[in-house]
Amino acid sequence: MNLHPRDANYADPSLHSHGLYIGGAWLPGSGIPIVDPSTAKVIAEVPDASIEDALRAVDAAEAAAAGWRTTSPRQRAEILRRWFSLMTDHSEELAVLVSLENGKALPDARGELAYAAEFFRWYAEEAVRVPGEFRHAPSGANHILVDHDPIGISVLITPWNFPAAMATRKIGPALAAGCTVILKPASETPLTAYAMARLGAEAGVPPGVVNVLTTSKPGPVVSAMLDDPRVRKLSFTGSTGVGRILLAEAARTVVSCSMELGGNAPFLVFDDADLEAALDGAMIAKMRNAGEACTAANRFYVQAGIHDTFVAGLTKRMEALKVGPGIDPATQVGPMITTKAVSKIDRLVSEAISRGAKVRTGGSPLSGNGYFYPPTVLENVPTDAEIAHEEIFGPVAPVYRFETEEEAIRLANNTEYGLAAYVYSRDLSRALRVGRGIESGMIAINRGLMSDPAAPFGGAKQSGLGREGGVSGILEFMEPKYFAVNF
Ligand code: NAD
């Protein structure tokens, strides 16, 4: 694959998947068209796996499991480190692929690739540092020794909004832990996952350790894998709605679940905040990936004394953004993933307007071939509007006014979600106090970005279960084993 933004050819056959990736072999197939959201044109077609294909992938993962779990941590680390290097060497081609299939602006795609590759480097480092325990039993009668085993065959399911990073955030720790995996990427954006699998093989990942399959029937296909008692782990990133279904399905075989689900991040700006810093942070928290991020600021709560200045500054910055095809080097905001996504944003914005919200910029879909929605700022939004309770997943910033710290915390917590939150204040003790009051897995203080492979990413409440990245991420793919020992 050799593609440059200048000569990107949508019909380039190297973009086409060469089949399902099972047991180290590419099994040809077709059936799922891949659409470039910037043009609404089909750019590739990938295979549509059946239940039988999925169970074949479980066979392959099982055949490779014993060999992989008994490789030394150092060997696994070296392979992941090589995969990191290959991802870095090929980051530009991969960024173009992400931009083509997802639509995101190239700078966002480049940022994603750097972030994605880091999970392989981080877990190359963590593979050799799995903790254990050894201590006296409180009774003094014996010793307690705790070791960690790889949990077993893991099914990894990823969404379309970060086609590279959501996959490496699971594959990295799973492989470091000694597990073999079946990755099912989103049908909208599987080309990056297949391309990364090729690099994995080149890095030395043995056949069957990583299997990749695409399907237009995720429900029955994933269900069949979860019903196979050889599968012991489900790591899912996606919507809370699908997460709930999968948790119920996993219950049948008591499969361990890690769930990275939806968000509804509040972005709190206090009167004493550094206004320019808050606006810079707001633009990152809202507009990275054109708002199609689970951590995207979904609700801006701004204290009364700074509210009007903040809205004016945000409007000016949002208006200045260039919307266009993701692959165009001048683009800052790409299209949404599908026409359905645009309709959802339109519905939320229209409902807010009908309830009294005022449009400062944007406010309705753009015409043309791709799936474009303009950067939008809304003020005077009622706090019970639908847009305050649903994930917008687009470039829309609704701004709400608050008076007191207590009110800000109450508003921030008025959601079933608890993934991410942002707090801007020059008073660090206030920022920390507010952060402690917010029911959320991640709090960014005076920053618009919190994602970091070295930090535990995940949510409270209905935003998820478990953490990815950081020191704890590898333990999601391990089973503690306790030995009661007499010397
Ligand atoms: P989605 O839930 O529709 O799909 C996610 C994945 O699940 C896809 O691979 C899809 O094919 C698969 N899927 C769909 N129905 C299924 C079923 N019945 N059984 C098994 N698999 C099924 O989500 P999406 O629209 O692709 O992604 C957007 C959502 O993902 C947003 O809610 C966003 O907040 C969330 N997200 C969360 C994180 C996080 O880390 N918490 C990160 C990125 C995205």
Side-chain angles (χ1 to χ4, degrees):
M1 184 171 55
N2 241 333
L3 201 68
H4 191 274
R6 278 195 307 275
D7 51 46
N9 175 359
Y10 294 149
D12 188 330
S14 62
L15 281 182
H16 293 224
S17 156
H18 297 282
L20 303 171
Y21 186 58
I22 296 178
W26 292 92
L27 311 178
S30 59
I32 303 181
I34 307 304
V35 174
D36 174 356
S38 298
T39 59
K41 286 196 180 128
V42 173
I43 53 167
E45 191 166 339
V46 296
D48 188 0
S50 62
I51 288 177
E52 292 69 34
D53 293 323
L55 295 179
R56 219 169 289 144
V58 177
D59 292 343
E62 191 197 20
W68 186 246
R69 68 187 285 149
T70 51
T71 52
S72 69
R74 180 66 75 199
Q75 277 174 295
R76 299 199 291 269
E78 296 289 336
I79 290 172
L80 283 171
R81 188 66 175 69
R82 278 201 295 277
W83 204 350
F84 160 75
S85 298
L86 285 166
M87 292 268 296
T88 307
D89 293 348
H90 292 270
S91 61
E92 190 59 19
E93 294 112 285
L94 289 169
V96 168
L97 200 51
V98 165
S99 180
L100 282 174
E101 65 176 349
N102 168 282
K104 72 177 72 179
L106 262 182
D108 280 336
R110 291 189 181 117
E112 178 184 348
L113 255 299
Y115 175 55
E118 279 301 332
F119 282 102
F120 288 156
R121 177 153 68 174
W122 175 256
Y123 282 107
E125 291 159 351
E126 288 298 286
V128 294
R129 312 210 192 295
V130 174
E133 281 176 53
F134 183 69
R135 58 191 157 84
H136 255 117
S139 66
N142 61 294
H143 279 81
I144 291 170
L145 189 156
V146 183
D147 195 8
H148 288 96
D149 280 345
I151 199 164
I153 297 175
S154 303
V155 171
L156 317 178
I157 304 180
T158 51
W160 49 262
N161 66 337
F162 289 95
M166 297 302 96
T168 59
R169 200 165 78 173
K170 297 183 187 307
I171 295 172
L175 263 56
C179 299
T180 58
V181 306
I182 299 128
L183 170 69
K184 194 215 78 62
S187 322
E188 293 87 350
T189 58
L191 303 179
T192 310
Y194 282 125
M196 291 194 305
R198 285 186 181 281
L199 296 179
E202 206 179 318
V205 175
V209 170
V210 173
N211 306 277
V212 185
L213 55 86
T214 34
T215 178
S216 64
K217 308 164 282 295
V221 164
V222 171
S223 216
M225 288 194 280
L226 292 178
D227 279 344
D228 187 319
R230 295 173 296 176
V231 170
R232 295 316 309 147
K233 178 81 196 179
L234 168 65
S235 178
F236 172 77
T237 299
S239 60
T240 295
V242 173
R244 286 190 192 106
I245 296 172
L246 290 173
L247 281 167
E249 295 196 347
R252 291 198 296 262
T253 39
V254 194
V255 167
S256 162
C257 291
S258 297
M259 294 273 153
E260 296 287 348
L261 307 177
N264 183 8
F267 189 105
L268 274 51
V269 188
F270 286 88
D271 282 346
D272 66 355
D274 175 336
L275 179 67
E276 286 303 307
L279 287 167
D280 288 347
M283 293 302 287
I284 296 168
K286 179 72 256 179
M287 296 306 291
R288 190 170 65 105
N289 244 18
E292 293 179 315
C294 53
T295 50
N298 213 51
R299 301 169 286 152
F300 287 87
Y301 295 115
V302 186
Q303 203 162 14
I306 204 176
H307 175 275
D308 293 354
T309 334
F310 181 87
V311 171
L314 188 63
T315 304
K316 195 167 161 215
R317 288 170 192 237
M318 292 285 266
E319 276 171 348
L321 292 174
K322 181 161 172 12
V323 180
I327 202 76
D328 180 339
T331 293
Q332 292 169 294
V333 183
M336 303 295 94
I337 188 73
T338 54
T339 181
K340 198 171 145 210
V342 174
S343 304
K344 178 190 171 181
I345 299 166
D346 192 28
R347 172 176 65 75
L348 292 175
V349 170
S350 302
E351 198 261 354
I353 294 171
S354 74
R355 305 274 314 280
K358 187 167 163 227
V359 179
R360 294 294 303 254
T361 184
S364 55
L366 299 173
S367 54
N369 290 333
Y371 314 132
F372 291 97
Y373 198 93
T376 294
V377 177
L378 302 176
E379 65 174 328
N380 294 339
V381 187
T383 54
D384 61 347
E386 278 182 51
I387 203 165
H389 298 281
E390 282 192 42
E391 271 189 300
I392 305 168
F393 242 59
V396 179
V399 186
Y400 312 80
R401 188 189 298 264
F402 74 87
E403 302 285 343
T404 65
E405 194 176 303
E406 294 68 33
E407 184 190 4
I409 294 173
R410 184 176 49 73
L411 287 167
N413 287 337
N414 185 21
T415 171
E416 67 188 20
Y417 297 107
L419 186 64
Y422 304 83
V423 182
Y424 272 80
S425 167
R426 280 202 178 92
D427 177 350
L428 193 56
S429 53
R430 159 145 71 187
L432 287 167
R433 185 171 64 238
V434 170
R436 288 179 72 96
I438 296 178
E439 299 153 346
S440 175
M442 298 179 285
I443 312 277
I445 292 181
N446 297 326
R447 275 185 66 77
L449 179 70
M450 76 260 297
S451 304
D452 187 326
F457 189 106
K461 291 158 79 174
Q462 297 189 40
S463 284
L465 298 170
R467 294 294 182 265
E468 289 190 324
V471 175
S472 48
I474 194 168
L475 297 177
E476 302 273 325
F477 291 93
M478 305 200 93
E479 192 83 79
K481 184 176 277 177
Y482 153 56
F483 295 84
V485 185
N486 275 344
F487 285 97

